[in-house]
Short mmCIF file of all heavy atoms in Angstrom, two decimals:
data_model
loop_
_atom_site.label_atom_id
_atom_site.label_comp_id
_atom_site.label_asym_id
_atom_site.label_seq_id
_atom_site.Cartn_x
_atom_site.Cartn_y
_atom_site.Cartn_z
N HIS A 347 -6.60 -128.25 -32.65
CA HIS A 347 -7.43 -128.10 -33.84
C HIS A 347 -8.89 -128.49 -33.56
O HIS A 347 -9.55 -129.05 -34.43
CB HIS A 347 -6.88 -128.95 -35.00
CG HIS A 347 -5.45 -128.56 -35.35
ND1 HIS A 347 -5.01 -127.28 -35.68
CD2 HIS A 347 -4.38 -129.33 -35.41
CE1 HIS A 347 -3.78 -127.29 -35.84
NE2 HIS A 347 -3.29 -128.49 -35.76
N ASP A 348 -9.39 -128.23 -32.39
CA ASP A 348 -10.81 -128.45 -32.01
C ASP A 348 -11.14 -127.17 -31.28
O ASP A 348 -10.70 -126.81 -30.18
CB ASP A 348 -10.84 -129.62 -31.06
CG ASP A 348 -12.38 -130.02 -30.73
OD1 ASP A 348 -13.05 -129.01 -30.28
OD2 ASP A 348 -12.77 -131.09 -30.85
N ALA A 349 -12.20 -126.51 -31.93
CA ALA A 349 -12.51 -125.12 -31.49
C ALA A 349 -13.13 -125.19 -30.03
O ALA A 349 -12.79 -124.34 -29.13
CB ALA A 349 -13.59 -124.46 -32.36
N LEU A 350 -13.87 -126.22 -29.72
CA LEU A 350 -14.37 -126.33 -28.39
C LEU A 350 -13.32 -126.63 -27.29
O LEU A 350 -13.33 -126.04 -26.24
CB LEU A 350 -15.54 -127.39 -28.29
CG LEU A 350 -16.13 -127.75 -26.91
CD1 LEU A 350 -16.73 -126.46 -26.31
CD2 LEU A 350 -17.12 -128.88 -27.00
N GLU A 351 -12.41 -127.47 -27.63
CA GLU A 351 -11.31 -127.81 -26.66
C GLU A 351 -10.45 -126.62 -26.49
O GLU A 351 -9.96 -126.27 -25.33
CB GLU A 351 -10.50 -128.94 -27.23
CG GLU A 351 -11.16 -130.28 -27.30
CD GLU A 351 -11.67 -130.74 -25.90
OE1 GLU A 351 -10.92 -130.61 -24.92
OE2 GLU A 351 -12.79 -131.15 -25.84
N ASP A 352 -10.19 -125.78 -27.45
CA ASP A 352 -9.45 -124.51 -27.26
C ASP A 352 -10.17 -123.55 -26.42
O ASP A 352 -9.54 -122.85 -25.57
CB ASP A 352 -9.13 -123.95 -28.71
CG ASP A 352 -7.95 -124.58 -29.41
OD1 ASP A 352 -7.17 -125.23 -28.75
OD2 ASP A 352 -7.99 -124.49 -30.61
N ALA A 353 -11.47 -123.52 -26.63
CA ALA A 353 -12.29 -122.54 -25.89
C ALA A 353 -12.30 -123.00 -24.33
O ALA A 353 -12.31 -122.13 -23.47
CB ALA A 353 -13.72 -122.45 -26.44
N LYS A 354 -12.53 -124.25 -24.15
CA LYS A 354 -12.50 -124.79 -22.83
C LYS A 354 -11.26 -124.48 -22.09
O LYS A 354 -11.24 -124.15 -20.91
CB LYS A 354 -12.93 -126.22 -22.83
CG LYS A 354 -14.33 -126.54 -23.24
CD LYS A 354 -14.51 -127.98 -23.62
CE LYS A 354 -14.28 -129.03 -22.48
NZ LYS A 354 -14.62 -130.39 -22.91
N ALA A 355 -10.13 -124.72 -22.77
CA ALA A 355 -8.80 -124.47 -22.19
C ALA A 355 -8.63 -122.97 -21.84
O ALA A 355 -8.18 -122.68 -20.80
CB ALA A 355 -7.74 -124.93 -23.14
N LEU A 356 -9.01 -122.16 -22.71
CA LEU A 356 -8.89 -120.70 -22.41
C LEU A 356 -9.77 -120.27 -21.25
O LEU A 356 -9.39 -119.52 -20.40
CB LEU A 356 -9.25 -119.90 -23.65
CG LEU A 356 -9.10 -118.46 -23.64
CD1 LEU A 356 -7.62 -118.07 -23.32
CD2 LEU A 356 -9.60 -117.73 -24.92
N CYS A 357 -10.98 -120.78 -21.21
CA CYS A 357 -11.85 -120.55 -20.08
C CYS A 357 -11.31 -120.95 -18.78
O CYS A 357 -11.29 -120.25 -17.82
CB CYS A 357 -13.19 -121.26 -20.35
SG CYS A 357 -14.43 -121.07 -18.95
N ASP A 358 -10.78 -122.19 -18.76
CA ASP A 358 -10.25 -122.70 -17.51
C ASP A 358 -9.07 -121.93 -17.00
O ASP A 358 -8.98 -121.62 -15.76
CB ASP A 358 -9.71 -124.25 -17.75
CG ASP A 358 -10.87 -125.18 -17.90
OD1 ASP A 358 -12.01 -124.81 -17.62
OD2 ASP A 358 -10.56 -126.41 -18.17
N ILE A 359 -8.24 -121.47 -17.92
CA ILE A 359 -7.03 -120.66 -17.62
C ILE A 359 -7.45 -119.28 -16.95
O ILE A 359 -6.97 -118.98 -15.85
CB ILE A 359 -6.12 -120.35 -18.82
CG1 ILE A 359 -5.41 -121.64 -19.32
CG2 ILE A 359 -5.13 -119.33 -18.52
CD1 ILE A 359 -4.87 -121.47 -20.77
N ILE A 360 -8.29 -118.53 -17.61
CA ILE A 360 -8.62 -117.27 -17.16
C ILE A 360 -9.51 -117.26 -15.95
O ILE A 360 -9.35 -116.56 -14.99
CB ILE A 360 -9.31 -116.48 -18.31
CG1 ILE A 360 -8.25 -116.13 -19.35
CG2 ILE A 360 -9.91 -115.15 -17.81
CD1 ILE A 360 -8.75 -115.30 -20.58
N GLU A 361 -10.40 -118.23 -15.82
CA GLU A 361 -11.26 -118.40 -14.61
C GLU A 361 -10.31 -118.70 -13.50
O GLU A 361 -10.53 -118.31 -12.38
CB GLU A 361 -12.24 -119.49 -14.79
CG GLU A 361 -13.35 -119.22 -15.82
CD GLU A 361 -14.40 -118.19 -15.32
OE1 GLU A 361 -14.33 -117.90 -14.09
OE2 GLU A 361 -15.17 -117.68 -16.08
#
Side-chain angles (χ1 to χ4, degrees):
H347 304 303
D348 184 311
L350 177 58
E351 292 301 314
D352 282 338
K354 288 164 65 175
L356 185 60
C357 177
D358 288 353
I359 291 167
I360 293 185
E361 291 287 349

